[in-house]
Amino acid sequence: MEQGQEAIQVEDFYHLADTALEIIIRFDKEGNILYGNQQAKTELGYGEELAGVNISSVFPAELQSEGGEISLDKVASMKEGMMYRKNGTCFPVRMTAFVDGAKNLLFAINVAKRIETERKLVRMKEEMEETIKVRNEFVANVTHELRTPVNGVKGHVTNMLEAGVTAEQKRTLDIITRCCENMSAIINNILDFSKLEAGKFTLEQKEFNFYQMVNHAVETNITAITAKGLHIIVNMDKTIPEYLIGDELRLTQILNNLLSNAVKFTSIGYINIEVTKTVQFDDEVELFFVVSDTGIGISQEEKDKLFKSFSQVDASITRKYGGTGLGLAITKQLVELMDGTIHLDSEKGKGSSFSYSVRLHVAQDKKEDVNVRGQFEFINQNQDMANFENMGEIFHYGTVENAEELRNKMEKLIICMEVGAWDKAETFSHNIKALVEEAPQEVKKAAFRLEMSVRKEKYDKAVEQYNGLKNLLEESIGGM
């Protein structure tokens, strides 16, 4: 009975062995092969003749000896080797042997394909590194070559403006200047993106005045902010140390990217910057920034595209506002390099709020004058946010906020018309049309006619339409 069970177990073993992907060989103490599974018969090329072949013929390099005897201990110690086929060819294997007198088993797996795959991966990595190197050199050379003509054009335009030009010529030259500035920004973004992708972007660790950095970022955008008639509020936690250690240039770049985006996509309302200190441990401090606006906003479905390279929410955004879609992708990577995260809260048509954190170090043994913090022009000048809590009401015709915003835009519009700044006048006339969206039909029609006259740059007609709309607004909500 016991012999019958043993026979069944051996039969089961052979059946399972024949389905294995490994080479399985059973041999006696003299090294004669008693059994080879289907994989062994196929790989070694012996077929049914494998039984009876000595294992030293399969491993001649490892097991050949002058006396012709096989050392079972040597077989047991083999982990890697070359297995020879009947035709004399060989292939590398990794193996395990179980040696126990007459019942000896060897398991081996052909690693030739794995080795070749590893070699291919090494070659692919080398080729990829070389491709990235060539690409980075190309990008660096191209961006350098592009800067030269852009700066040349901008320099000549500056010279022409200083020499004196007509109002029409100045308008054209101003457009050229803006185009040069946009091109320079795109070139810088492409170069930064290339460095970030190659992992060759390093952050400097230098001492700087944090309050001054924030003030400069706002100062860079203040012309565009005031030109659009927007409100800017900057509130900073007064417990934030004045002098910190980090990469001032890249911190400015992050804040400037988000601030310029807010300005670009906001035509009515305000932009708010809040900075608070969330954690401080020894000389390390975590700062939390929020940059919010009352701009066009985006939907929940569109958020996924926002931080991807070369991606805009939709094609119309690129056509209307320009840009490569790299700004926010670079911003995200810079924030992460500073051990922080960035997040967006937004609703279509109701503005956006970008929040991000960064970790910096506090400058040691630096004397601070707390009063200095209040001397920066744009910081903590409008700390009372109560005046802006109902800013959403500006779009509801007839509210106090709406009337105030209409007065503001009407004043800026007439000034632009008088000085011939028609591009800015068109922006304000468009804003006025948006502010009277809920107004009576006659007011809406008057705003539309005004925008059309401004767009055609017809001064007399535009002034007539302006006065007509102003009278309607005074009758409707008063105080114009």
Side-chain angles (χ1 to χ4, degrees):
M1 187 69 177
E2 289 180 1
Q3 290 181 348
Q5 287 179 343
E6 184 179 346
I8 292 171
Q9 289 174 355
V10 170
E11 185 179 338
D12 289 342
F13 168 78
Y14 288 156
H15 177 72
L16 290 171
D18 279 335
T19 63
L21 297 177
E22 288 180 293
I23 293 171
I24 301 176
I25 292 174
R26 184 179 179 188
F27 56 97
D28 62 21
K29 61 183 178 179
E30 283 79 27
N32 297 313
I33 295 175
L34 304 174
Y35 164 79
N37 70 341
Q38 193 60 45
Q39 188 72 12
K41 294 172 184 176
T42 303
E43 288 268 15
L44 296 173
Y46 286 98
E48 297 300 328
E49 298 176 8
L50 182 60
V53 175
N54 195 279
I55 197 169
S56 62
S57 299
V58 179
F59 292 100
E62 288 82 0
L63 299 179
Q64 279 181 352
S65 61
E66 294 180 2
E69 294 182 359
I70 300 298
S71 170
L72 294 181
D73 291 337
K74 193 169 185 179
V75 175
S77 66
M78 292 192 307
K79 302 300 177 186
E80 293 182 352
M82 299 298 292
M83 222 170 183
Y84 280 73
R85 300 182 181 93
K86 181 180 179 182
N87 62 9
T89 61
C90 61
F91 54 91
V93 293
R94 289 175 186 166
M95 55 191 149
T96 302
F98 298 95
V99 176
D100 183 21
K103 297 179 180 180
N104 309 305
L105 283 173
L106 183 139
F107 297 85
I109 186 165
N110 187 338
V111 294
K113 291 181 180 178
R114 184 183 300 177
I115 291 172
E116 181 59 28
T117 301
E118 289 172 354
R119 287 174 181 167
K120 285 181 179 179
L121 287 172
V122 170
R123 287 198 297 270
M124 286 174 64
K125 183 182 177 184
E126 290 172 351
E127 289 171 3
M128 187 179 296
E129 288 174 349
E130 182 62 26
T131 300
I132 291 172
K133 180 182 176 183
V134 171
R135 185 196 68 180
N136 289 341
E137 289 176 355
F138 173 77
V139 169
N141 290 333
V142 168
T143 51
H144 175 73
E145 293 300 323
L146 285 173
R147 279 196 182 97
T148 302
V150 170
N151 291 335
V153 171
K154 191 175 179 181
H156 284 297
V157 169
T158 302
N159 291 338
M160 291 177 70
L161 288 169
E162 289 175 352
V165 292
T166 65
E168 183 62 30
Q169 289 172 333
K170 183 179 184 303
R171 182 184 177 189
T172 301
L173 292 174
D174 284 342
I175 292 172
I176 295 172
T177 301
R178 286 199 299 273
C179 289
C180 288
E181 290 170 350
N182 290 339
M183 187 65 181
S184 295
I186 290 170
I187 290 169
N188 291 335
N189 277 344
I190 291 172
L191 189 58
D192 283 347
F193 177 75
S194 178
K195 289 180 180 178
L196 285 163
E197 288 294 293
K200 294 184 177 181
F201 199 98
T202 55
L203 297 176
E204 291 187 344
Q205 298 297 319
K206 291 184 178 180
E207 182 183 296
F208 67 98
N209 188 307
F210 182 73
Y211 287 75
Q212 190 174 63
M213 182 276 292
V214 174
N215 199 70
H216 283 170
V218 178
E219 194 173 34
T220 302
N221 293 275
I222 198 64
T223 301
I225 292 170
T226 54
K228 296 183 78 170
L230 300 173
H231 303 279
I232 177 74
I233 311 105
V234 184
N235 278 309
M236 287 177 57
D237 184 348
K238 292 183 179 179
T239 64
I240 297 173
E242 187 177 353
Y243 292 96
L244 297 173
I245 297 173
D247 196 320
E248 180 182 9
L249 177 64
R250 298 308 174 183
L251 276 168
T252 305
Q253 184 176 353
I254 293 169
L255 185 56
N256 189 59
N257 276 351
L258 296 178
L259 189 52
S260 60
N261 250 25
V263 176
K264 184 192 296 185
F265 298 118
T266 306
S267 58
I268 302 171
Y270 71 92
I271 296 167
N272 181 38
I273 301 173
E274 296 275 345
V275 190
T276 56
K277 182 177 73 175
T278 52
V279 176
Q280 181 169 354
F281 183 74
D282 292 335
D283 70 331
E284 188 176 45
V285 62
E286 182 184 76
L287 302 181
F288 188 75
F289 294 72
V290 179
V291 180
S292 54
D293 61 63
T294 54
I296 61 174
I298 65 171
S299 66
Q300 186 66 39
E301 295 74 23
E302 294 165 337
K303 287 182 184 178
D304 293 339
K305 298 180 183 179
L306 209 60
F307 293 104
K308 293 181 180 178
S309 308
F310 300 103
S311 175
Q312 292 277 19
V313 168
D314 58 52
S316 64
I317 295 291
T318 305
R319 287 195 298 271
K320 185 173 181 180
Y321 298 100
T324 59
L326 281 177
L328 288 177
I330 291 170
T331 297
K332 181 176 185 291
Q333 292 188 62
L334 288 176
V335 167
E336 289 173 351
L337 280 174
M338 296 183 188
D339 299 319
T341 57
I342 187 167
H343 179 71
L344 167 66
D345 286 313
S346 184
E347 188 176 345
K348 194 87 168 179
K350 294 187 178 181
S352 301
S353 179
F354 285 91
S355 57
Y356 66 98
S357 61
V358 295
R359 284 185 177 268
L360 304 169
H361 291 275
V362 179
Q364 300 297 312
D365 302 322
K366 192 76 177 181
K367 292 182 180 180
E368 293 190 17
D369 182 357
V370 179
N371 294 326
V372 173
R373 302 179 188 182
Q375 295 176 13
F376 294 108
E377 183 180 358
F378 302 108
I379 295 175
N380 294 339
Q381 299 302 310
N382 292 296
Q383 296 182 54
D384 187 6
M385 285 295 291
N387 297 328
F388 299 93
E389 286 179 356
N390 297 321
M391 186 57 76
E393 295 296 310
I394 60 176
F395 294 101
H396 297 309
Y397 185 72
T399 62
V400 173
E401 292 79 12
N402 177 262
E404 184 179 344
E405 196 68 23
L406 274 169
R407 279 193 294 273
N408 179 279
K409 294 296 187 284
M410 290 288 283
E411 288 173 4
K412 291 182 181 295
L413 172 59
I414 193 62
I415 292 171
C416 290
M417 287 163 55
E418 292 294 341
V419 299
W422 292 104
D423 53 338
K424 292 181 180 178
E426 185 177 339
T427 299
F428 290 125
S429 64
H430 180 75
N431 291 345
I432 290 166
K433 191 179 76 170
L435 288 167
V436 299
E437 195 64 35
E438 296 180 358
Q441 197 65 27
E442 58 179 345
V443 176
K444 291 170 65 176
K445 287 181 179 179
F448 175 76
R449 289 193 294 267
L450 173 59
E451 184 181 20
M452 291 301 100
S453 297
V454 169
R455 189 172 294 176
K456 294 175 183 177
E457 300 183 9
K458 295 182 177 180
Y459 175 77
D460 293 336
K461 191 68 175 177
V463 170
E464 181 185 337
Q465 299 291 353
Y466 174 87
N467 289 328
L469 176 60
K470 186 176 181 181
N471 291 333
L472 286 172
L473 291 173
E474 286 178 344
E475 293 173 6
S476 180
I477 57 178
M480 284 292 122

